[in-house]
Amino acid sequence: MKILATVKRVFDTDGKPKLTADAKLDVSSIDCKLNPFDEYGVEEAVRLQEKGIATEVVICCVGPEEAQKEMRTALAMGGDRGLLVKVNDTESLDTLSIAKILAAVVKKEKPDLVILGKLSTDSENNQVGQMLAELTGLPQATFAFKLTPDAGGWAIVGREVDGGTSDVKVKLPAIITADLRLNEPRYASLPGIMKAKKKPLEITTPEALGVSVKPAIVGIGYELPPARKAGIKVASVAELVDKLRNEAKVIS
Amino acid sequence: MSNILVVAEHLEGKLRKATLPTIGFAKKAQALTGGKIIGLVLGHNAASVAAELATAGVDHVILVDSAIYADYLAEAYAPAVAEIAKVKGASIVAAPASTTGKDFLPRAAARMDAGMISDAIEVFSHNGAVAYKRPVWAGNLIARETSTSAITAVTVRMTNFDAPAAGAAAPIETISLGFAAPDDTQFLSFDRVKSSRPELTDAAAIVAGGRGLKSAEAFKMLEELADLIGGAVGASRAAVDSGYAPNDWQIGQTGKIVAPGIYFAVAISGAIQHLAGMKGSKVIVTINKDGEAPIYQISDYGLVADAFKAVPELTAALK
Ligand SMILES: Cc1cc2nc3c(=O)[nH]c(=O)nc-3n(C[C@H](O)[C@H](O)[C@H](O)COP(=O)(O)OP(=O)(O)OC[C@H]3O[C@@H](n4cnc5c(N)ncnc54)[C@H](O)[C@@H]3O)c2cc1C
Ligand SMILES: Nc1ncnc2c1ncn2[C@@H]1O[C@H](COP(=O)(O)O)[C@@H](O)[C@H]1O
């Protein structure tokens, strides 16, 4: 079985964002990193390879030249080779554009399983996997916390959904998006990092894949959410109850 | 035509409350675009859902009743939603930002070649175009976006729009679409967390616990407090990962987004991913034994104390 695992280079959202005078995001002092949800996807692919179920794991990213760094981070966890679809300004691409590019990659690579993260932690779309499934005509199993490929060419996927969990069975090839309880991603080992440097990393472009994209969603600026102020500390349960009853009036 | 299609969410013959803020969003969008608000029910033996939806503030209801929608599958929903959007001339297709809406709507969007907005918290006019606000960066930034596609797909955050007032019953139209059931996917099971408490997303009060509680047993004291005040119980991701609470209780970037009147954060440190899910609460109360925990920075009332002592004491005081 061949697996394609996608990775996105995201902004590290642990820092507080700053805005420029024209309401754009000030990216000058923000670090980038591998999207945390993609670590779960890559880990799952690598585990399937270690179990002998996957025969090849390809790491794919749509992003700038610099994204090779995040791809190497993923390749240090495992996997065989990388495929970077180079775009200069990933920020201006919307999810449907990314999905169209990834659909061209799926057509070319013909994987049996595509594993994406469920969410980009910076732009928080939760869309690309589902769009890719439609564009490729493949079944989808999103928010996966359990993945069991069985022998008959199907996979059983446990999904985290509102109200509990749900199991679905999808015929391979299929599209899976990873949730955080799918596994515990490994830290890349030193030998892993050394090996990753030598793994092949092919660079292509949307044009070479025969895709031209025109984003439908256009950003018109950012704003900061209203700040919440720290309130007061109370000394006892009795004082807390008094405040809730008589000051906040949220409890009778 | 520029109608607004709202895809209803339902369970066991009842409209889910998550649908109502989406209709509230549609009302606001309608003030900008004109057209009708069309509610869509995809289901099996779902006439009761259509009837409930008809009085929930929509102008028109479409019921597509077929065995292929008996169990929810994105592969069955997406073609139906895209088809109805086309024949009914929708310019906006909206669904709740629930795990169901997030699952099928992007798939339907791709089918409609539509741009998509996730988790809309506001809709407004920008240079004559419809524009949206949505939180990104774990809630630390709000993006403003417009769409240039003929149809725009939107999932709507449950906490930011009011349910419209119930109105006179809108007409219900039954349509059959003739799609075949998908043959490359199968629904197997839904393991539901049964609870007599209100749903997290519309509870007026929430008592949430974190890793500091150290056991599932300790969550019982939160449940007791929640039951006393008619609230729901929530959890941090660390508490869920440790097996103290079911995944359905998780609040935050990867879990539920809540905005109750009062939120008790018990033994939760306040990581940004957790705050992303509860910052919109009206009053936040923190009980944590570490007075420096980041959660105090956004709390209205903080009590530095051992939860095992403070929570039972609080419950007793409120009885
Ligand atoms: C991509 C991503 C997504 C995430 N999504 C989410 C999400 O949706 N929701 C979420 O919650 N987290 C999420 N997280 C995890 C988040 O970063 C934190 O790890 C998590 O919220 C910590 O949970 P906690 O506060 O319960 O645990 P901790 O950070 O370990 O805090 C435990 C707290 O309990 C206190 N404590 C200990 N004992 C007691 C006692 N006896 N009495 C009182 N207080 C006590 C301690 O002082 C401490 O403050 C996500 C992380 C990532 C990387
Ligand atoms: N530029 C990209 N390159 C590769 N994969 C991506 C890209 N953008 C999104 N993805 C994948 O799609 C998942 C969901 O992203 P999103 O829909 O943006 O929240 C991510 O976890 C990635 O696996």
Side-chain angles (χ1 to χ4, degrees):
Chain A
M1 178 195 294
K2 176 174 173 178
I3 301 181
L4 185 76
T6 59
V7 296
K8 185 185 171 190
R9 172 181 165 92
V10 295
F11 290 121
D12 188 343
T13 53
D14 282 346
K16 278 251 180 293
K18 276 196 252 83
L19 299 185
T20 60
D22 58 347
K24 295 218 169 61
L25 186 59
D26 178 1
V27 293
S28 59
S29 57
I30 307 172
D31 294 330
C32 287
K33 65 172 184 185
L34 173 58
N35 183 27
F37 283 91
D38 295 341
E39 292 177 19
Y40 294 80
V42 171
E43 175 67 32
E44 198 65 14
V46 170
R47 287 189 189 186
L48 289 170
Q49 191 169 34
E50 287 167 349
K51 285 187 199 143
I53 297 170
T55 46
E56 188 184 14
V57 172
V58 182
I59 305 290
C60 175
C61 174
V62 181
E65 196 99 45
E66 292 79 19
Q68 287 177 70
K69 179 170 160 274
E70 284 70 31
M71 296 183 71
R72 296 280 178 204
T73 306
L75 286 166
M77 293 170 68
D80 301 295
R81 62 186 169 92
L83 177 64
L84 173 65
V85 187
K86 206 181 103 183
V87 293
N88 290 330
D89 185 12
T90 332
E91 289 310 288
S92 72
L93 288 184
D94 63 357
T95 46
L96 192 52
S97 304
I98 302 282
K100 283 176 181 172
I101 295 168
L102 290 176
V105 172
V106 170
K107 217 167 130 195
K108 176 171 169 273
E109 294 283 343
K110 300 187 179 56
D112 301 289
L113 194 62
V114 186
I115 310 182
L116 304 86
K118 84 160 178 183
L119 183 81
S120 302
T121 51
D122 55 355
S123 57
E124 297 203 60
N125 306 299
N126 199 335
Q127 296 174 11
V128 171
Q130 298 86 314
M131 288 176 163
L132 176 63
E134 173 63 28
L135 296 173
T136 52
L138 297 177
Q140 71 188 53
T142 54
F143 326 143
F145 73 95
K146 198 174 69 191
L147 171 61
T148 328
D150 74 355
W154 291 69
I156 294 172
V157 182
R159 306 179 53 230
E160 293 208 13
V161 298
D162 292 344
T165 58
S166 171
D167 283 359
V168 292
K169 198 171 161 183
V170 285
K171 191 173 181 196
L172 304 182
I175 310 283
I176 311 287
T177 75
D179 214 323
L180 299 182
R181 275 175 281 273
L182 185 57
N183 53 47
E184 185 93 46
R186 70 195 66 193
Y187 288 103
S189 64
L190 197 58
I193 295 168
M194 298 313 287
K195 258 201 231 156
K197 290 187 178 154
K198 298 203 188 81
K199 289 180 183 172
L201 199 162
E202 182 194 343
I203 301 183
T204 182
T205 61
E207 296 73 42
L209 291 165
V211 205
S212 81
V213 290
K214 189 180 162 290
I217 301 297
V218 182
I220 51 170
Y222 291 95
E223 57 193 68
L224 296 174
R228 255 199 111 101
K229 285 200 303 287
I232 57 161
K233 289 218 172 96
V234 292
S236 65
V237 167
E239 191 189 346
L240 176 62
V241 171
D242 174 63
K243 293 283 182 201
L244 294 179
R245 280 197 174 129
N246 303 317
E247 190 177 89
K249 297 192 167 60
V250 283
I251 255 169
S252 52
Chain B
M1 259 190 298
S2 61
N3 292 320
I4 299 166
L5 186 66
V6 172
V7 187
E9 197 163 321
H10 55 95
L11 185 68
E12 293 164 354
K14 287 203 185 77
L15 188 68
R16 291 197 83 161
K17 279 190 182 159
T19 311
L20 303 177
T22 308
I23 301 171
F25 157 85
K27 287 268 185 205
K28 276 198 161 175
Q30 185 183 36
L32 305 172
T33 62
K36 282 195 169 139
I37 298 174
I38 303 170
L40 171 63
V41 178
L42 299 173
H44 188 44
N45 300 329
S48 59
V49 181
E52 228 185 308
L53 183 61
T55 58
V58 300
D59 302 313
H60 190 85
V61 173
I62 294 172
L63 171 62
V64 186
D65 207 303
S66 159
I68 75 170
Y69 309 117
D71 292 309
Y72 163 78
L73 280 173
E75 293 81 352
Y77 261 53
V81 169
E83 181 64 18
I84 297 290
K86 191 171 90 192
V87 299
K88 293 295 173 185
S91 62
I92 295 174
V93 179
S98 60
T99 52
T100 302
K102 288 176 179 179
D103 186 49
F104 76 80
L105 198 58
R107 189 170 181 120
R111 200 176 173 97
M112 303 183 292
D113 203 30
M116 178 159 173
I117 305 283
S118 287
D119 274 290
I121 57 167
E122 188 54 281
V123 54
F124 62 105
S125 172
H126 174 81
N127 294 342
V130 180
Y132 308 84
K133 290 186 190 179
R134 62 182 198 94
V136 294
W137 280 60
N140 281 332
L141 198 60
I142 292 170
R144 297 190 294 238
E145 293 170 345
T146 58
S147 168
T148 58
S149 49
I151 301 177
T152 304
V154 184
T155 55
V156 178
R157 196 165 265 206
M158 269 92 90
T159 47
N160 292 70
F161 298 91
D162 293 328
I172 299 173
E173 180 187 0
T174 304
I175 292 183
S176 58
L177 289 173
F179 287 111
D183 59 3
D184 52 6
T185 174
Q186 249 175 280
F187 170 89
L188 297 180
S189 62
F190 175 37
D191 189 1
R192 195 169 163 203
V193 182
K194 292 253 158 55
S195 167
S196 54
R197 298 188 190 97
E199 284 194 42
L200 274 170
T201 42
D202 58 51
I206 292 174
V207 184
R211 173 156 42 203
L213 290 176
K214 295 182 189 73
S215 72
E217 195 54 37
F219 264 79
K220 295 243 159 64
M221 82 192 170
L222 303 195
E223 292 178 44
E224 201 186 323
L225 175 57
D227 289 341
L228 184 68
I229 58 176
V233 184
S236 71
R237 176 186 163 204
V240 176
D241 283 2
S242 309
Y244 309 160
N247 71 289
D248 184 50
W249 288 6
Q250 183 173 317
I251 289 165
Q253 187 185 32
T254 341
K256 301 239 163 38
I257 308 292
V258 300
I262 182 159
Y263 188 94
F264 290 91
V266 182
I268 291 175
S269 64
I272 58 161
Q273 295 93 349
H274 186 78
L275 304 189
M278 47 66 80
K279 261 197 311 201
S281 305
K282 198 158 160 272
V283 174
I284 297 172
V285 176
T286 285
I287 298 175
N288 195 306
K289 68 176 183 192
D290 171 12
E292 302 297 313
I295 185 109
Y296 284 110
Q297 288 161 22
I298 61 143
S299 303
D300 299 281
Y301 302 106
L303 177 64
V304 183
D306 187 329
F308 293 94
K309 195 168 158 283
V311 175
E313 217 180 299
L314 179 60
T315 308
L318 291 174
K319 264 187 188 145

